[in-house]
Amino acid sequence: MATSVRRTTLTLPAAPLGPDNPFPALRSDHDLPQVRIPRDAGLPADMARQIGHRPLTSLLPVARRDGYGRARRRTDLDALVIENDRLRATVLPGLGGRVYSLCHKPTDRELLYRNPVLQPAAFALNGAWFSGGIEWNIGATGHTTLSCAPLHAARVPAPDGGEMLRLWEWERLRDLPFQVDLWLPDGSDFLHVGVRIRNPHHHTVPVYWWSNIAVPEEDGTRVLAPADEAWHFGYERLLRRVPVPESDGADRTYPLRSEFPADYFYEVPDGARRWITSLDAAGRGLVQTSTDALRGRKLFLWGTGRAGRRWQRWLTEPGTGGYAEIQAGLARTQLEHVPLDAGGAFSWLEAYGPLAADPAVVHGADWSAAREAVAAGLETALPRADVDAAYAAWLPYADREPEESLATGSGWGALEVVRAGFALPGTPFDPATLGPEQEPWLTLLRTGELPPGGPLPGPAPTAPAWRDLLESAPPGPATDHHLGLAQWQAGDRAQAVRSWERAVGQGAGDLTRAACVLPLYCLAVAESAAGEPARAADRYAQACDAVAAAAAADGPAARTWRAALPALLREAVPALLTAGRTEEAGRLLAALPERVLADGRFRLLTARVLLAQDRPEAAREVFDAGFEIADLREGDETLSDTWFAIAERLTAAGGPVTDEVRARARAAHPLPDRYEYRMRPV
């Protein structure tokens, strides 16, 4: 039975994604961490060059996805099933092409961690992400902005005569097309995955790719890879080389033998076969292997501490099992971006399947013997030569045109093809996929100017080619605003500020016009980034006034601005507090409807305003009543920081907050479990 591909429906309790944030993502909420590297770390030359190479400075042109909550309801999801007589893979094309399930049919075993719910959390670069399965991460350090976005999907002929499922999309952070081809050869226990990233531009582009595989985290589960050393990176931001398997007094290849979340990037020797596996106490589990181009291997573990357990419960259904991640990437670590030359491509083949080895050896004290047992078992199940041969057989099929469309992604790739005439065999970006988001930019291409009116909310293009078009277009509020976005993205911040000031100034000084909202917001972010909190607060206040005026008007646009006000206030209130404008921050919050104030994000803001007003008792009551922040960021310590700031003020009882007061406050007011999300030793 060669691969067959069919449609199905997967029904899960799911929290709706909600609307995207309408304000431009001028900053990356997942900034590249400040990495501390010891002088004697001995970084390989390519790793040293690639760490910190062209990191993101913003999320432009992508929109932030932060409109979700935590109320789940039964939801039907479009799914695609790839199946042969040995394996059945279930793929979610509308959610980043995630492989939700991989079932080994002869043993009726699920090889992946299959999340029983779909609960968005703020782990993707642009927000919404969910745990479980196999995800394809492209773009920059972090989970892809496509985590909860639709991909194009189609049926394509496979190298063995069966059917192949192709997923593809245009990744907008780096302006690159990519494809993922999945098939199951006749009689094979391994899902084959061909991946190709192409650079159709005339300049080099930094590339990031990691395939993340969620596997069950059970007592006795061990992760093995062909390495004696690893690069450890935790939330203390220190990158250091450690031995494998034991470091700091424990065997770190067992995910449940660490207290805090951490990454272990395995140093796989040159020439060694690339693989990683997670095996349970009985020596059974999943193995991933690839051709040599996919060189990196990694273990991510949550640890057994309070925060790790809390995050696990947050991401799934309480009472269900947790997970760890085994991963494979283009570089040694996820702190690196790899240059892809103009006109070039990266391509490789991955394979996923079951593996079993003698548990006495796998879990024995001899690490070399355990690794050799796994390597021998993998060579028997899927010889390295067969992986290389499968890759060679797949390459000619990577350009085969799809036979039947199964799902539709965005229209951004089609827009780029219209603009530049790119020839991308195998991954057609059909003009039929162009939609309302792309229509103004088609007008710019055809006429040389944007449609008249105010700035356009939404994920507008900002690449250099679009900047050139905007610079040649007749000036106007929309043109100047979007030119500012393109200039900001290019690092020309002073030019961006001038463009936004022109956009604002075209209203003859009336800052309450709806056309002023987005450029005023951008100016506020720019002032904040420049270290000017007072000026930033002024701009945020002006933007809030403009939104309020626009929301009070008649027509459908007013509803849009009423819905946008909470997103603006989530940034404006902290900026006002930073500038010492406490009463103004309180008035803005008080004007919101009760249903909005009940949201956990605004409960926290309320507590922070009360604390700034020297009302720690009232701030503590907010925490005691309880709340949840649906889009709490990975590593964000705002909850714990605010809790202890309240505790210190209560303990000081009007006096100064000294070190002795801080110590007494922490002893008298321990952080409740429900607010414990700290991912590092404190």
Side-chain angles (χ1 to χ4, degrees):
M1 176 183 176
T3 304
S4 66
V5 180
R6 58 182 170 86
R7 301 175 190 265
T8 190
T9 299
L10 183 67
T11 303
L12 289 176
L17 288 172
D20 287 351
N21 192 310
F23 295 97
L26 300 185
R27 289 180 289 199
S28 171
D29 291 335
H30 264 189
D31 291 332
L32 185 72
Q34 296 299 310
V35 184
R36 295 186 292 125
I37 303 174
R39 290 180 179 273
D40 59 352
L43 267 61
D46 59 339
M47 182 176 170
R49 286 193 304 270
Q50 292 167 180
I51 284 185
H53 172 63
R54 292 184 60 182
L56 294 183
T57 56
S58 80
L59 288 176
L60 294 173
V62 175
R64 288 171 290 184
R65 313 206 73 173
D66 56 6
Y68 54 87
R70 291 189 59 79
R72 298 191 285 264
R73 60 173 182 259
R74 300 290 290 177
T75 304
D76 291 338
L77 304 171
D78 291 334
L80 300 170
V81 173
I82 314 165
E83 190 168 13
N84 69 359
D85 55 345
R86 309 289 294 176
L87 285 174
R88 181 172 58 251
T90 303
V91 179
L92 302 177
L95 293 165
R98 183 78 59 97
V99 179
Y100 175 76
S101 168
L102 185 61
C103 180
H104 187 234
K105 293 162 69 172
T107 58
D108 194 28
R109 285 174 47 218
E110 174 60 55
L111 300 180
L112 304 173
Y113 168 74
R114 185 173 57 188
N115 198 332
V117 303
L118 200 164
Q119 177 55 62
F123 278 53
L125 286 163
N126 62 334
W129 169 89
F130 64 102
S131 62
I134 306 172
E135 57 177 309
W136 319 110
N137 287 298
I138 182 173
T141 299
H143 293 280
T144 177
T145 61
L146 298 168
S147 293
C148 291
L151 302 190
H152 301 285
R155 198 188 311 268
V156 184
D160 63 348
E163 295 179 334
M164 185 161 62
L165 172 63
R166 174 162 299 159
L167 305 166
W168 75 98
E169 189 44 284
W170 192 279
E171 199 286 311
R172 301 188 69 208
L173 292 180
R174 301 303 194 185
D175 247 354
L176 297 176
F178 73 97
Q179 71 188 81
V180 179
D181 291 352
L182 304 99
W183 79 101
L184 293 162
D186 185 16
S188 176
D189 277 331
F190 284 83
L191 174 67
H192 285 46
V193 181
V195 182
R196 179 169 63 170
I197 305 169
R198 286 184 278 191
N199 178 8
H201 304 292
H202 297 295
H203 56 270
T204 300
V205 178
V207 171
Y208 174 94
W209 180 280
W210 282 80
S211 303
N212 289 13
I213 310 116
V215 290
E217 174 203 65
E218 301 169 353
D219 189 30
T221 294
R222 192 178 204 187
V223 171
L224 300 96
D228 292 315
E229 292 182 312
W231 298 94
H232 171 272
F233 189 70
Y235 288 81
E236 308 94 328
R237 307 305 187 199
L238 176 66
L239 181 69
R240 58 193 178 97
R241 194 192 296 256
V242 298
V244 177
E246 291 191 11
S247 64
D248 299 324
D251 187 331
R252 305 299 176 178
T253 60
Y254 290 89
L256 290 176
R257 294 186 186 177
S258 294
E259 182 178 1
F260 292 98
D263 298 328
Y264 289 91
F265 300 102
Y266 294 110
E267 185 64 57
V268 179
D270 290 340
R273 185 176 185 180
R274 298 355 184 156
W275 58 264
I276 189 168
T277 185
S278 173
L279 302 179
D280 63 17
R284 300 185 309 172
L286 174 134
V287 66
Q288 187 271 2
T289 188
S290 72
T291 49
D292 289 354
L294 201 66
R295 66 164 303 154
R297 293 299 185 273
K298 171 192 162 183
L299 162 65
F300 169 76
L301 53 88
W302 281 107
T304 58
R306 283 205 308 167
R309 295 302 94 193
R310 177 67 180 161
W311 275 115
Q312 291 265 32
R313 295 192 298 271
W314 183 255
L315 296 171
T316 186
E317 189 71 24
T320 59
Y323 73 97
E325 288 180 357
I326 56 175
Q327 307 180 14
L330 278 176
R332 285 180 172 85
T333 74
Q334 289 170 337
L335 305 173
E336 302 169 64
H337 298 115
V338 183
L340 177 56
D341 292 337
F346 290 142
S347 61
W348 63 89
L349 186 125
E350 304 180 45
Y352 299 81
L355 188 71
D358 183 350
V361 179
V362 166
H363 299 287
D366 189 331
W367 172 244
S368 295
R371 278 176 30 206
E372 290 168 4
V374 169
L378 174 59
E379 188 64 20
T380 299
L382 183 65
R384 184 178 187 178
D386 287 3
V387 174
D388 292 336
Y391 171 67
W394 165 73
L395 269 180
Y397 286 79
D399 283 347
R400 294 287 291 269
E401 294 300 327
E403 293 185 338
E404 177 191 358
S405 176
L406 299 172
T408 303
S410 78
W412 296 111
L415 180 67
E416 293 301 323
V417 169
V418 170
R419 181 190 63 78
F422 294 129
L424 299 167
T427 55
F429 292 97
D430 194 326
T433 62
L434 293 164
E437 286 186 319
Q438 292 80 41
E439 189 59 39
W441 306 99
L442 286 171
T443 301
L444 177 62
L445 284 172
R446 292 166 181 160
T447 69
E449 60 184 299
L450 284 175
L456 310 167
T462 56
W466 292 101
R467 175 179 174 174
D468 292 343
L469 289 167
L470 289 165
E471 286 176 336
S472 302
T479 299
D480 287 331
H481 169 69
H482 289 290
L483 176 57
L485 296 182
Q487 291 163 335
W488 182 273
Q489 176 73 346
D492 295 336
R493 296 195 169 188
Q495 291 279 17
V497 167
R498 282 191 281 272
S499 294
W500 292 324
E501 287 174 340
R502 282 198 307 273
V504 169
Q506 292 176 49
D510 181 6
L511 297 184
T512 63
R513 295 176 306 114
C516 286
V517 172
L518 294 178
L520 281 171
Y521 168 83
C522 292
L523 288 170
V525 175
E527 296 286 12
S528 178
E532 297 287 350
R535 294 180 181 177
D538 287 341
R539 292 300 195 182
Y540 273 117
Q542 291 167 353
C544 289
D545 289 343
V547 170
D554 295 327
R559 290 194 295 271
T560 299
W561 290 117
R562 281 195 291 273
L565 183 57
L568 177 59
L569 289 188
R570 290 202 300 269
E571 297 184 58
V573 169
L576 290 168
L577 291 178
T578 299
R581 294 161 63 167
T582 303
E583 298 307 317
E584 188 176 356
R587 287 196 300 272
L588 285 175
L589 282 183
L592 288 171
E594 282 298 322
R595 61 175 179 79
V596 176
L597 285 173
D599 181 275
R601 291 169 284 200
F602 288 98
R603 299 305 295 152
L604 176 61
L605 284 177
T606 298
R608 293 176 63 185
V609 168
L610 291 168
L611 182 62
Q613 293 173 338
D614 200 23
R615 299 169 61 191
E617 295 86 357
R620 175 61 180 264
E621 288 175 3
V622 174
F623 273 81
D624 289 344
F627 60 87
E628 292 183 329
I629 299 178
D631 64 341
L632 188 68
R633 276 282 178 188
E634 177 186 8
D636 191 330
E637 298 183 0
T638 305
L639 276 172
S640 52
D641 288 348
T642 306
W643 169 273
F644 287 122
I646 294 169
E648 289 163 5
R649 296 282 284 279
L650 290 172
T651 304
V657 177
T658 64
D659 288 344
E660 189 270 334
V661 166
R662 291 189 179 93
R664 286 195 289 115
R666 280 160 171 72
H669 304 276
L671 185 68
D673 277 350
R674 69 181 306 167
Y675 302 124
E676 178 59 277
Y677 291 93
R678 293 173 294 179
M679 302 177 75
R680 62 186 177 91
V682 292

